[in-house]
Amino acid sequence: MTTLANANANANATVDRDRAEVEHFYARQMTLLDSGEADAWAATFTEDGSFAPPSLPEPVRGRAALAEGARKAFAALAAEGDTHRHWVGMVAVRPGEDGSLVAESYVQVVAVRAGAGPRLHLMCTCTDVFVRQEGELLVRERVVTRDDRR
């Protein structure tokens, strides 16, 4: 019985550690995105990483394309006088069958325009597949689903 209790405690500690690491990753990654640091944001994906947002018919693949898309989106928002802030919460992390980590979360995108109050722009769910390269978590695949388009 003690062995089973120890195994459960170790498994829970691993899940807690993984979730904390993923939450820290999101805090850093979303700050990069919201600050317009497109290349640094794209570097949080694997070289061939993919991002499937609900606004595009096909996923964006590879760091160069990810950075270009982030640059364009940031410039378009700035031209409109908007700032977006991404908030990631309700993060659930589990091990993937291939040694990856799978994180499922809720994402709120809050839009702020100078002189106006913040407004909820989007409410989404996000599924990320993380892999570890050289000790660092990177997104291999991201799928975002908007709640208003289900």
Side-chain angles (χ1 to χ4, degrees):
M1 187 113 140
T2 302
T3 303
L4 181 57
N6 288 343
N8 286 338
N10 288 340
N12 289 338
T14 299
V15 168
D16 289 344
R17 184 195 70 230
D18 291 343
R19 188 180 71 240
E21 185 177 11
V22 167
E23 287 176 349
H24 178 75
F25 174 94
Y26 285 140
R28 184 174 55 86
Q29 187 193 48
M30 295 307 166
T31 299
L32 292 170
L33 179 62
D34 293 342
S35 300
E37 297 183 47
D39 291 319
W41 175 77
T44 65
F45 287 79
T46 59
E47 217 29 78
D48 61 346
S50 70
F51 174 36
S55 57
L56 298 177
E58 295 292 324
V60 179
R61 296 185 193 285
R63 286 182 179 159
L66 290 164
E68 182 61 24
R71 262 191 294 283
K72 286 181 180 177
F74 188 81
L77 288 170
E80 294 176 12
D82 279 354
T83 299
H84 278 185
R85 299 290 183 226
H86 291 72
W87 182 85
V88 181
M90 303 296 290
V91 179
V93 178
R94 62 181 164 76
E97 292 181 14
D98 60 356
S100 63
L101 285 178
V102 179
E104 296 175 314
S105 61
Y106 291 164
V107 179
Q108 292 180 5
V109 181
V110 177
V112 181
R113 182 164 288 178
R119 71 185 189 289
L120 182 60
H121 177 66
L122 293 174
M123 187 70 206
C124 307
T125 58
C126 179
T127 301
D128 281 333
V129 178
F130 287 96
V131 294
R132 204 172 291 282
Q133 292 181 353
E134 298 179 20
E136 182 178 2
L137 280 182
L138 298 173
V139 177
R140 182 176 68 202
E141 178 182 355
R142 171 169 290 162
V143 177
V144 177
T145 305
R146 285 177 50 168
D147 284 355
D148 62 336
R149 292 189 181 169
R150 288 184 178 220

